[in-house]
Amino acid sequence: MADPEYELFAIRYATREAQRSEHFIGGDPHDGPMPMDYFIWLARGGGRTFVIDTGFNAEIAKQRRRTFLRCPVETLRAFDIDPADVEDVILTHLHYDHAGNFDRFPNARFHLQERELAYATGRYMQYPRLSHSFEVEDICGIVRLNYARRVLFYDGDAEIAPGLTVHAAGGHSAGLQFVRINTRRGPVVLASDVSHFYENMTSERPFTTAFHVGDMLVGFDKLRTAAPGADHIVPGHDPLVMNLYPAPSRDLNGIAVRLDVAPSGAGRGEDVQRTPA
């Protein structure tokens, strides 16, 4: 039996102004503006719904000086999805912008690499350079969910459902994973923070928040191996995503885009990267 084809969407819920030098280890010789967007993702197919990452809330946005655009969980209602009905949430990792709002899914089970929770509760969290990317209440909440038997752990690559797999790619965080999803245009790879921007991957210059730089570089190779081509890889924070893909409806213009159709416009596929400012 063929794998189901999933509808796949990116939902943009926050943004921030930033400079190019903030996004590449070692800085950038052509420094200039390079804003960052924040997304969660939604996959529907085979009679199942998967929410991928859960974002952060307005309070955390204020604390961290991010521009909060909308509640990502409430935005799911625009897709006729009640968060209370969601049964599966995939957490690519436990950084604040990917694992907040977990409590808004009262009936979901959470899919996570076991190494990520060990990392977020282990010895490295005594170092602010690493712990600043986590919110301690989020981590405590995931521990409580585990005690409630609502976390499914993985040790490496795994199939969660037909046509939907997770792939371990530590580096940015010790237990980071990306998601490969079968769609009508073939497999689409949601990189999450394996590659924040298209340019991190195309130039092989990792993002500045790093647990293991070597694993980050290997992660770029894993993305390429998992995808049929470069235009089937979707980075985790690049505003270009909103320009390259179409909105699912007029009401969601500027809010969400479809990823199960090919990207269009200039700068797609192998040529997707930015011109230095």
Side-chain angles (χ1 to χ4, degrees), residues 7-60:
E7 294 182 295
L8 185 59
F9 307 92
I11 298 170
R12 176 178 178 256
Y13 71 91
T15 189
R16 76 177 178 98
E17 297 301 320
Q19 297 295 115
R20 290 181 57 84
S21 58
E22 298 177 67
H23 302 319
F24 303 98
I25 289 176
D28 189 274
H30 305 285
D31 203 9
M34 191 174 182
M36 173 181 281
D37 279 352
Y38 297 83
F39 299 93
I40 69 168
W41 300 274
L42 170 65
R44 293 193 296 198
R48 297 178 66 177
T49 296
F50 294 87
V51 173
I52 301 158
D53 289 343
T54 54
F56 53 75
N57 60 28
E59 180 182 357
I60 295 301

Side-chain angles (χ1 to χ4, degrees), residues 168-214:
H172 171 67
S173 189
L176 176 63
Q177 59 185 355
F178 65 87
V179 188
R180 186 178 190 264
I181 301 165
N182 190 50
T183 74
R184 59 181 172 174
R185 72 176 178 114
V188 173
V189 173
L190 296 180
S192 183
D193 288 3
V194 180
S195 189
H196 284 62
F197 295 86
Y198 285 105
E199 195 174 349
N200 290 119
M201 180 176 61
T202 58
S203 66
E204 294 193 333
R205 291 183 295 158
F207 190 74
T208 47
T209 299
F211 176 64
H212 192 292
V213 175

Side-chain angles (χ1 to χ4, degrees), residues 229-245:
D231 62 355
H232 285 70
I233 300 172
V234 180
H237 289 275
D238 201 321
L240 278 176
V241 170
M242 296 298 293
N243 295 328
L244 290 171
Y245 292 93

Side-chain angles (χ1 to χ4, degrees), residues 30-265:
H30 305 285
D31 203 9
M34 191 174 182
M36 173 181 281
D37 279 352
Y38 297 83
F39 299 93
I40 69 168
W41 300 274
L42 170 65
R44 293 193 296 198
R48 297 178 66 177
T49 296
F50 294 87
V51 173
I52 301 158
D53 289 343
T54 54
F56 53 75
N57 60 28
E59 180 182 357
I60 295 301
K62 183 177 180 180
Q63 290 177 13
R64 291 182 178 258
R65 298 179 182 178
R66 306 305 188 239
T67 300
F68 192 67
L69 302 173
R70 60 192 58 88
C71 174
V73 180
E74 285 302 310
T75 305
L76 292 172
R77 297 186 187 277
F79 296 87
D80 296 322
I81 294 173
D82 184 337
D85 294 334
V86 173
E87 296 181 349
D88 292 283
V89 174
I90 299 169
L91 296 176
T92 62
H93 58 306
L94 295 176
H95 284 175
Y96 78 96
D97 52 327
H98 295 262
N101 296 316
F102 68 88
D103 55 328
R104 302 288 300 275
F105 298 92
N107 298 305
R109 55 197 165 193
F110 293 79
H111 303 266
L112 181 69
Q113 290 289 321
E114 184 172 10
R115 188 181 181 193
E116 181 70 357
L117 187 57
Y119 171 58
T121 57
R123 68 174 69 186
Y124 293 107
M125 294 302 100
Q126 65 185 295
Y127 302 112
R129 183 68 184 89
L130 297 174
S131 64
H132 82 280
S133 296
F134 298 90
E135 286 290 328
V136 66
E137 292 305 318
D138 291 344
I139 306 308
C140 291
I142 299 299
V143 171
R144 293 187 181 97
L145 288 176
N146 184 35
Y147 272 72
R149 304 180 70 177
R150 291 179 55 198
V151 183
L152 299 179
F153 290 107
Y154 302 92
D155 182 16
D157 301 351
E159 181 182 73
I160 292 181
L164 194 154
T165 54
V166 293
H167 303 262
H172 171 67
S173 189
L176 176 63
Q177 59 185 355
F178 65 87
V179 188
R180 186 178 190 264
I181 301 165
N182 190 50
T183 74
R184 59 181 172 174
R185 72 176 178 114
V188 173
V189 173
L190 296 180
S192 183
D193 288 3
V194 180
S195 189
H196 284 62
F197 295 86
Y198 285 105
E199 195 174 349
N200 290 119
M201 180 176 61
T202 58
S203 66
E204 294 193 333
R205 291 183 295 158
F207 190 74
T208 47
T209 299
F211 176 64
H212 192 292
V213 175
D215 285 348
M216 295 176 84
L217 292 166
V218 171
F220 298 150
D221 293 334
K222 289 183 176 181
L223 293 176
R224 296 186 187 102
T225 299
D231 62 355
H232 285 70
I233 300 172
V234 180
H237 289 275
D238 201 321
L240 278 176
V241 170
M242 296 298 293
N243 295 328
L244 290 171
Y245 292 93
S249 68
R250 184 176 299 177
D251 290 344
L252 289 171
N253 189 41
I255 298 173
V257 291
R258 297 195 71 110
L259 302 176
D260 51 6
V261 298
S264 60

